[in-house]
């Protein structure tokens, strides 16, 4: 009933606003407005409209994403009107008469530019605007600018997340594909353009606008265009991994990646485009544990606990260099066809399908996780998206979208032996993840309406999402033995279960590396009895919104919107999210267009509780799965005899539930900024962001540490709660420059954030006081910057640089012990000297509080700063007949969809397509282009170290043991070089 009432509220709001907007006061000057379409009536955004009076400066505006334009504040007189757009012949109309206070309608239908016209290379002018979706803090990447990004979908996802910047809060931003959430990225050959951080306070989106990435796929074209590229590299082109040791013994590895697309007409009313890719990677994972006991004859497998020191079990600081590299083969394939159909002059239907399949062998291995603890994984995903766009009248556009996605994933452990976890040193045995089979179904339905009036641009609509998953799992069934650091388990009086092996041989327990493992005294043993392997879950949420962009003056836009959201499972049936923003262009003398725009906004953004955590509550409910944990189970508890683990220690059950008051977390974000136009081709933006998070998700572990662990006790009761908070301040600098032969974009951000959670899986160290864990947040980099672009050189040579730089990530120092028997190894140590310590020196910290030692704050230490500079160089060779202006413009004109419209997701059809350049590669000015190129990742070979070892249990405390992943490196090499050859027509 509540949801039905909200829907009625939005209907009433729309009905009430429409007549108010229609009778809004007319401006003192005249205006010219209209809609710009192509020969098949598909709307054209981004067209430049120039109105030149007999005397004075011309007035220049651009058509919006829905194809409409409005030039306001015109002095009475006669104007010459010119409309230009890459790939179209210029539209010229003389004698457009405008009277004082008069609004003149001039609709434009642009003709295609013929191939016989002279090639002219022009740059896209950069202008600041007061339109809500034209903020200079956004970045639009299309055409040849896409070459700066990786073709590999996994690496592309990391780069897009970096481009979006450090979004507020632990949940970060989100990537949308053609307006839909979730799923895999399409192959890069199918991507038309990428928009980042556009219109950050729009009520249409649930997630934070600063941090939002929108990916749009290509529509079909009116002529046949194709593109094929093959690229690859192997060990001989790359540098090594520094953790392989002096011998640098690494087996040969290679990568082969193919990507392609084809587009063209089907008939007069429809067109198609098909993109796809295939990737084969023969990679290596680098194992680098911090201490190891093994039989010299079989150095890959650790000795059983308690058997160390014998002739067949010797200690070494790490595994032999000859076996550190473990083969990690991977394959990935995807295909994405799309059809655009014109069902009438005002109705466009788009259907897109994507199939993706992925396989990995020896996954989950690397750093301190040894080869036996890995697993093999496979997954596939089928996605179908349908979008129907209707132009109800010249002012109203309605779009309905539907998505169905089905994914299936499997995971099989390499070994079913018990897992052996030595805190901060190594993980061996079998994989604790067990065997898993997952089938997930996702349905998403959207309906959006746009209404363009004289001074108002209104949008309203709704979205319904539901996701279900059937998960079959044996996770934890093999049992996990956890060993922690003990100074001397043979003499420590706190040890009630001293191993008999320690009698008279205390010297063998003095090795600080793995003494608990050495003497066979696990600190914890956990095993799960699975009564029901398969569980079913479903999460559903709904979102409704309405917003209005009101332009009371040509240099002022006021935007107001409200969003309503609701989700099942948790207490989330009344989540209202108001959004307001403004954009004011500082007036200039002579009525010139503003070159400085002041922007500001405020909004509330909700985060949904995810399906994975909900599944956890269904599995670990005490019936479906029965997980038992034994604290200090004694020397008799061994991997060979797990049945003896309950002889000297009682077990605690583990239960996961939803807290009684759990509700949606949300972020309150405010921003104020300045957009500045720098000449004709460049803009700069400075923005200050303040974000406050409330009801953030975390996990509380309720237990009584005073209860003896040797007697029956109550269960560990884990609860997902919304008791977290965060505070964040950011200062962001954005720049864009689009010169005739150079395109550059980038940003720099400085951020300060404190929080008492890092996400739903975070477990505080205190189960009664979450303030103990309030401190530096792990999700905020103090400094972060991204730079990219494209440069055209003589002889058809192009360069596409891309750089990411970030300060170190805050990280936590832990003892590696569980002194309270909480089953969670997250206890922080104490400073030995005052209130500070060296994060690389183990002697600056104490495991126990003796005297008045100060506890170490959460995330006290900072990881290393990292920088990567990628560069793609390409040389184009053209042959065949010369092409016209469309080729010189990167194919944006030729790629315009004449048969069915592109669909700009909620703002009407149309939009740039993908001609020869849009298909990828470098244009040569000829019908056929062959391109040779190379792309270097981390060109300057700067070693991107990962977070140092943070457990005092490890002899490598404070040392680097692995490389940073994501956009900075692969685990195999520091610098990688890929060679590429492509053909397009």
């Amino acid at each position: 009933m509540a949801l039905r009432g909200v829907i009625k509220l939005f209907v009433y709001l729309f009905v009430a606003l429409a007549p108010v907007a229609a009778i809004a006061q007319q401006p003192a000057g005249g205006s010219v407005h209209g809609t710009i379409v192509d020969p098949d009536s598909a709307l054209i955004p981004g067209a430049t409209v120039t109105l030149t009076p007999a005397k004075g400066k011309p007035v220049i505006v651009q058509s919006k994403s829905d194809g409409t334009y409005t030039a306001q504040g015109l002095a009475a007189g006669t104007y010459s009107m010119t409309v230009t757009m890459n790939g179209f012949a210029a539209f010229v109309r003389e004698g457009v008469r405008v009277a004082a206070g008069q609004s003149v309608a001039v609709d434009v239908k642009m003709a295609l530019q013929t191939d016989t016209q002279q090639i002219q290379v022009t740059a896209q002018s950069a202008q600041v605007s007061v339109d809500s979706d034209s903020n200079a803090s956004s970045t639009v990447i299309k055409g040849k600018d896409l070459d700066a990004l990786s073709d590999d979908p996994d690496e592309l996802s990391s780069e897009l997340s970096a481009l979006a910047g450090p979004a507020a809060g632990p949940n970060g931003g989100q990537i949308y594909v053609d307006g839909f959430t979730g799923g895999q990225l399409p192959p890069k050959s199918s991507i038309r353009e990428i928009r980042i951080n556009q219109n950050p306070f729009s009520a249409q989106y649930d997630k934070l606008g600063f941090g939002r990435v929108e990916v749009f796929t290509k529509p079909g074209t009116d002529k046949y265009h194709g593109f094929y590229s093959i690229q690859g590299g192997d060990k001989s082109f790359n540098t090594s991994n520094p953790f392989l040791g002096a011998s640098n013994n690494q087996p040969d590895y290679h990568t082969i990646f193919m990507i392609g697309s084809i587009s063209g007409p089907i008939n007069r009313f429809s067109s198609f485009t098909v993109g796809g890719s295939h990737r084969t990677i023969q990679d290596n994972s680098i194992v680098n544990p911090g201490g190891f006991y093994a039989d010299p004859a079989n150095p890959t497998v650790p000795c059983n606990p308690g058997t160390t020191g014998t002739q067949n079990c010797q200690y070494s600081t790490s595994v032999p260099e000859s076996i550190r590299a473990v083969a990690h083969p991977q394959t990935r394939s995807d295909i994405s066809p799309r059809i655009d159909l014109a069902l009438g002059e005002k109705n466009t239907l788009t259907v897109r399908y994507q199939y993706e399949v992925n396989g990995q062998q020896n996954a989950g291995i690397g750093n301190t996780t040894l080869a036996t603890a890995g697993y093999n994984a496979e997954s596939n995903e089928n996605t179908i998206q349908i979008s129907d766009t209707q132009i109800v009248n010249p002012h109203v556009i309605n779009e309905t979208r539907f998505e169905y996605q089905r994914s299936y994933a499997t995971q099989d452990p390499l070994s079913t032996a018990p897992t052996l976890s030595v805190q901060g040193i190594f993980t061996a045995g079998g994989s604790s993840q067990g065997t898993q089979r997952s089938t997930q179904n996702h349905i998403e339905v959207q309906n959006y309406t746009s209404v363009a009036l004289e001074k108002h641009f209104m949008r309203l609509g709704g979205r319904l999402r539901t996701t279900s998953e059937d998960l079959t799992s044996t996770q934890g069934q093999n049992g996990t033995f956890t060993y922690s650091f003990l100074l001397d388990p043979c003499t420590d009086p706190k040890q009630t279960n001293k191993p008999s092996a320690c009698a008279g041989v205390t010297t063998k327990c003095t090795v600080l590396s793995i003494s608990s493992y050495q003497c066979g005294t696990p600190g914890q043993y956990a095993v799960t009895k699975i009564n029901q392997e398969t569980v079913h879950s479903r999460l559903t949420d709904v979102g409704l919104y309405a917003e209005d962009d009101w332009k009371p003056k040509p240099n002022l836009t006021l935007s107001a919107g409200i969003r309503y959201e609701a989700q099942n499972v948790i207490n989330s049936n009344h989540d209202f999210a108001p959004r307001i923003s403004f954009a004011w262009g500082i007036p200039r003398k002579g009525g010139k267009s503003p070159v400085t725009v002041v922007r500001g906004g405020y909004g509330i953004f909700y985060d949904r509780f995810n399906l994975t955590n909900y599944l956890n509550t269904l599995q670990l409910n005490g019936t479906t799965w029965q997980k038992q944990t034994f604290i200090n189970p004694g020397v008799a508890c061994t991997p060979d005899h797990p049945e003896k683990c309950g002889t000297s220690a009682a077990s605690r059950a583990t239960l996961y539930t939803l807290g009684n008051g759990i509700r949606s977390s949300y972020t309150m974000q405010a921003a104020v900024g300045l957009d500045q136009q720098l000449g004709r081709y460049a803009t700069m933006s400075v923005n200050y962001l303040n974000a406050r998070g409330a009801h953030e998700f975390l996990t509380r572990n309720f237990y009584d540490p005073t209860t003896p662990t040797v007697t029956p006790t109550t269960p560990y009761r884990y609860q997902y709660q919304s008791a977290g908070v965060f505070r964040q301040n950011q200062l962001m600098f954005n720049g864009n420059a689009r010169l005739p032969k150079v395109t550059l974009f980038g940003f720099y951000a400085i951020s300060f954030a404190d929080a008492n959670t890092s996400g739903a899986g975070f477990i505080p160290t205190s189960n009664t006081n979450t303030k103990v864990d309030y401190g530096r947040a792990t999700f905020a980099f103090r400094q972060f910057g991204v730079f990219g672009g494209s440069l055209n050189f003589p002889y058809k040579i192009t360069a596409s640089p891309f750089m990411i730089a970030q300060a170190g990530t805050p990280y936590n120092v832990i003892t590696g012990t569980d002194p309270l028997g909480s089953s969670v190894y997250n206890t922080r140590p104490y400073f030995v000297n005052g209130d500070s310590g060296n994060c690389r020196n183990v002697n600056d910290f104490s495991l126990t509080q003796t005297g008045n030692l100060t506890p170490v704050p959460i995330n006290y230490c900072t990881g290393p700063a990292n920088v990567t500079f990628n560069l793609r160089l390409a040389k184009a060779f053209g042959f065949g007949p010369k092409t016209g202006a469309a080729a010189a413009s990167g194919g944006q004109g030729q790629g315009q969809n004449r048969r069915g419209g592109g669909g700009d997701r909620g703002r009407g059809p149309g939009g740039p397509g993908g001609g020869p350049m849009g298909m990828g590669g470098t244009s040569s000015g000829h019908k056929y282009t062959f391109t040779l190129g190379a792309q270097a990742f981390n060109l300057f070979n700067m070693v991107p170290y990962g977070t140092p070892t943070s457990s005092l249990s490890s002899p490598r405390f404070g040392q680097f043991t692995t490389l940073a992943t994501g956009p900075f490196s692969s685990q195999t090499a520091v610098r990688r070089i890929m060679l590429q050859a492509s053909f397009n027509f």
Side-chain angles (χ1 to χ4, degrees):
M1 294 297 295
L3 182 59
R4 186 179 304 170
V6 172
I7 296 175
K8 290 182 179 180
L9 174 63
F10 276 85
V11 174
Y12 294 153
L13 178 65
F14 172 72
V15 173
L17 287 178
V20 173
I23 62 174
Q25 182 182 357
Q26 296 290 332
S31 64
V32 175
H33 68 278
T35 303
I36 302 175
V37 299
D38 67 6
D40 287 333
S41 298
L43 301 179
I44 302 177
T48 301
V49 181
T50 305
L51 291 161
T52 306
K55 293 182 180 180
K57 296 290 186 179
V59 176
I60 302 174
V61 297
Q62 286 189 327
S63 60
K64 298 180 181 179
S65 54
D66 62 346
T68 63
Y69 75 93
T70 302
Q72 295 180 329
L74 302 177
T78 302
Y79 290 78
S80 172
M81 179 178 177
T82 304
V83 183
T84 58
M85 179 67 182
N86 288 335
F88 293 90
F91 174 91
V92 179
R93 176 172 292 184
E94 301 288 348
V96 178
R97 297 181 180 181
V98 180
Q102 180 186 15
S103 180
V104 179
V106 181
D107 292 329
V108 177
K109 178 172 285 191
M110 303 190 72
L112 296 180
Q113 197 166 36
T114 63
D115 289 345
T116 58
Q117 292 179 301
Q118 182 180 0
I119 297 176
Q120 296 179 350
V121 179
T122 58
Q124 177 182 346
S125 62
Q127 293 181 326
V128 295
S129 169
V130 297
D131 289 341
S132 59
D133 57 356
S134 298
N135 52 302
S137 58
S138 67
T139 301
V140 179
I141 305 174
K142 57 185 179 181
K144 61 185 178 182
D145 294 343
L146 289 169
D147 287 342
L149 305 178
S150 174
D151 296 323
D152 185 280
D154 295 333
E155 294 179 348
L156 177 61
S157 179
S158 298
E159 292 171 349
L160 292 181
S161 297
L163 272 168
N171 298 296
Q174 190 168 39
I175 297 177
Y176 297 79
V177 178
D178 284 339
F180 295 98
T181 58
Q184 300 290 330
L185 280 176
K188 187 180 170 185
S189 57
S190 296
I191 295 177
R192 165 168 59 95
E193 67 178 51
I194 299 169
R195 301 175 188 172
I196 301 167
N197 298 341
Q198 189 176 57
N199 197 359
F201 291 100
S202 171
Q204 179 177 343
Y205 301 94
D206 55 343
K207 298 288 284 186
L208 289 162
F210 288 101
R212 183 177 67 240
V213 178
E214 299 175 73
V215 178
F216 298 98
T217 59
K218 297 173 183 175
T221 54
D222 64 326
K223 294 183 179 180
Y224 289 104
H225 296 291
F227 166 74
Y228 175 78
S229 172
I230 183 169
Q231 52 189 287
D234 63 15
K235 175 183 175 180
S236 60
F237 296 142
N238 304 337
T239 58
S240 183
N241 184 309
F243 300 110
L244 283 170
S247 63
N248 189 23
N249 188 347
Q250 185 171 184
D252 291 338
Y253 61 89
H254 64 269
T255 296
I256 299 176
F257 187 77
M258 295 175 284
I259 185 171
S261 61
I262 187 169
S263 177
I266 298 176
N267 53 39
R268 290 180 54 204
F269 308 105
S270 60
S271 59
F272 77 95
T273 181
V274 180
S277 66
H278 175 73
R279 178 188 70 185
T280 300
I281 298 178
Q282 179 60 56
D283 209 348
N284 295 314
S285 297
I286 309 303
V287 174
N288 187 28
F292 203 59
Y293 275 96
D295 184 346
N298 188 15
T300 62
V301 180
C303 305
N304 284 334
T307 63
T308 60
T310 63
Q311 181 177 1
N312 295 328
C313 190
Q314 302 298 318
Y315 175 78
S316 62
T317 57
S318 182
V319 297
E321 295 180 2
S322 59
I323 59 172
R324 291 186 185 179
V326 181
H328 180 33
Q330 306 167 60
T331 60
R332 187 186 193 276
S333 301
D334 55 42
I335 187 169
S336 179
R338 167 175 164 163
I339 297 177
D340 298 277
L341 304 100
L343 303 181
E345 291 185 1
K346 298 182 179 181
N347 192 355
T348 300
L349 180 68
T350 298
V351 180
R352 176 177 170 267
Y353 169 76
Q354 179 169 317
Y355 175 73
E356 183 265 345
V357 60
N358 199 341
Q360 298 183 62
Q361 295 181 358
N362 298 338
I365 299 171
N367 195 6
T368 59
T369 302
L370 304 183
T372 58
Y375 55 86
N376 297 331
E378 292 187 3
S379 65
N380 62 70
E381 183 176 277
N382 291 269
T383 302
I384 184 167
Q385 298 173 344
I386 302 174
S387 175
D388 180 72
T389 304
Q390 296 192 31
I391 303 175
V392 180
N393 59 47
H395 302 287
V396 180
I397 297 176
N398 179 267
E399 184 170 10
T400 301
R401 311 178 203 164
F402 170 82
E403 178 186 58
Y404 173 71
Q405 190 175 91
R406 182 179 178 87
S407 59
Y408 179 72
T410 66
Q411 185 170 300
D412 296 291
L414 300 180
S415 171
T416 58
T419 303
L420 307 179
S421 175
V422 186
Q423 294 295 296
I425 302 175
F426 69 79
T427 298
S431 171
S432 62
Q433 299 299 311
T435 300
Q436 299 193 30
R437 301 288 183 269
S438 170
T439 301
Q440 191 173 106
N441 292 279
H442 173 82
I443 296 176
E444 188 168 339
V445 181
Q446 305 174 10
N447 184 269
Y448 298 133
T449 299
S450 303
V451 182
L453 301 174
E454 185 65 33
K455 290 185 177 181
H456 295 258
F457 186 73
M458 304 172 59
R459 287 171 285 214
L460 72 162
R463 180 190 68 188
L464 175 67
R465 295 185 302 186
T466 181
T467 304
S468 65
E469 182 173 2
D470 292 309
L471 177 62
T472 301
S473 174
T474 62
Q475 181 177 351
Q477 188 173 258
N478 57 330
T480 298
F481 292 82
T482 302
Y483 299 87
S484 58
F485 170 81
L486 299 170
L487 181 62
D488 192 341
C490 298
T491 59
D492 189 348
K494 296 180 181 179
Q495 292 301 304
T496 58
N497 299 306
K498 295 181 182 179
S500 58
C502 289
V505 288
T506 56
T507 54
K508 82 171 186 176
C509 299
T510 58
V511 180
L512 295 183
S513 57
I514 46 177
S515 55
S516 173
Y517 179 86
Q518 180 182 1
C519 289
T521 56
Q524 175 180 298
Y525 172 67
V527 64
T528 302
K529 179 183 178 183
I530 299 178
N531 299 316
Q532 178 183 329
E533 290 188 353
T534 303
V535 294
H536 174 79
S537 63
R538 178 182 294 276
L539 286 183
T540 302
D541 67 87
V542 63
L544 305 173
Y545 87 100
E547 63 183 355
D548 180 25
D549 296 336
W550 176 38
K551 189 173 288 186
K553 295 182 179 181
N555 66 328
L556 177 64
T557 297
L558 302 176
S559 300
I562 188 169
R563 185 177 181 87
Y564 167 82
E565 296 182 14
Q567 181 186 7
N568 68 333
V569 177
I570 62 175
N571 301 317
S572 175
N573 55 6
H574 50 74
D575 296 338
F576 286 93
R579 318 273 173 86
I580 57 173
S581 62
F582 73 90
W584 175 59
I586 299 178
R588 301 174 65 199
K589 294 181 179 180
K592 298 179 181 179
S593 300
V595 296
T596 304
V597 175
V598 180
R599 292 182 179 271
Y602 174 84
I604 296 178
F605 302 84
Y606 286 89
D607 286 305
R608 309 263 63 88
F609 191 72
N610 69 45
L611 189 62
T612 300
N613 295 327
Y614 179 50
L615 271 168
N616 211 22
T617 65
L618 300 180
Q619 293 170 323
L620 290 169
N621 58 8
T623 302
T624 305
W625 288 6
Q626 293 177 326
K627 182 178 180 180
Q628 299 295 323
T629 301
F630 300 84
I631 303 298
N632 294 324
V635 68
C637 179
T638 66
D640 293 333
H641 297 283
E643 73 280 358
K644 297 182 180 181
C645 293
T647 57
S648 61
S651 68
R652 286 179 184 257
T654 297
L655 304 178
Y656 268 82
T657 60
L658 297 176
N660 292 331
I662 187 171
R663 52 157 300 168
S664 301
S665 63
Y666 60 88
T667 300
M668 298 166 284
Q669 187 174 74
V672 62
L674 190 73
D675 296 349
Q676 179 65 49
Q677 186 170 322
L678 305 175
R680 181 180 176 185
Y681 301 114
T683 61
M684 184 185 72
S685 176
V686 181
N687 291 272
Y688 165 72
L689 281 68
N690 174 268
R692 296 172 59 240
H695 300 287
E696 297 296 317
F697 297 127
L698 51 78
T699 301
R700 297 280 287 275
N701 178 13
F702 291 96
Y703 69 100
D704 184 2
T706 63
T707 302
T709 58
V710 295
T711 61
T713 59
T714 57
Y716 293 116
R717 297 185 181 275
Y718 292 88
Q719 278 192 4
Y720 290 112
Q721 297 188 348
S722 49
V725 296
F726 76 85
R727 304 289 184 269
Q728 185 171 8
N729 291 280
Q730 295 174 274
L731 187 63
M732 300 180 65
F733 300 84
N734 295 75
N736 289 274
R738 299 186 178 277
L739 304 173
K741 293 186 178 182
V742 177
T743 300
L744 300 174
F745 56 85
F747 76 89
Y748 165 79
I750 183 170
S751 178
F752 301 86
D754 292 314
N756 66 350
T757 179
S758 57
F762 175 81
I763 302 176
T765 55
S766 170
N767 64 353
T768 58
N769 182 13
T770 59
K771 293 182 180 179
V772 174
D773 294 298
Y774 186 80
R776 292 203 305 166
T778 57
F779 54 79
F781 305 107
R782 182 59 53 88
Q783 299 184 77
F784 193 87
V786 175
F787 161 81
S790 62
L791 300 88
N792 295 329
F793 295 102
Y795 308 106
K796 299 181 179 63
I797 297 176
T798 61
S800 302
F802 187 72
M803 183 180 73
I804 303 174
Q806 73 175 35
T809 304
Y811 69 93
N812 214 13
V813 178
I814 60 175
T815 63
T817 63
D818 179 22
L820 299 179
S822 67
S823 80
V824 181
Y825 286 72
N826 63 353
T827 305
R828 294 195 299 275
Y830 300 86
F831 291 117
V832 172
N833 302 308
D835 57 359
S836 64
N838 185 343
C839 294
R840 309 293 293 275
N841 186 0
V842 68
N843 295 320
D844 282 2
F845 303 94
S846 172
L847 294 176
T848 58
Q849 187 178 27
T850 57
N852 296 319
L853 297 183
T854 303
V856 177
I858 193 169
N859 300 323
Y860 171 76
C861 297
T862 303
N866 283 317
V867 179
T868 183
F869 183 86
N870 304 339
L871 179 65
R872 189 196 300 259
L873 292 175
K875 160 67 176 174
F877 302 88
F879 55 98
K882 291 186 177 182
T883 58
S889 66
Q892 296 301 320
Q894 288 281 26
Q896 286 290 338
N897 178 34
R898 262 48 94 181
R899 296 172 168 81
D904 214 28
R905 320 329 299 176
R907 298 181 179 87
M917 189 61 213
M919 285 292 183
T922 303
S923 176
S924 65
H926 293 260
K927 184 176 181 179
Y928 304 103
T929 300
F930 177 71
T931 305
L932 291 176
Q935 185 170 20
F937 298 90
N938 195 6
L939 177 65
F940 299 114
N941 201 34
M942 295 174 284
V943 179
Y945 289 109
T947 302
T949 301
S950 60
S951 174
L952 293 175
S953 297
S954 174
R956 291 185 177 181
F957 173 78
Q959 298 179 19
F960 301 119
T961 61
T962 186
L963 297 179
T965 56
F968 294 102
S969 77
S970 71
Q971 286 296 302
T972 308
V974 174
R975 179 178 61 207
R976 295 172 294 142
I977 295 178
M978 300 280 287
L979 303 182
Q980 178 183 17
S982 64
F983 172 77
N984 59 278
F985 63 90

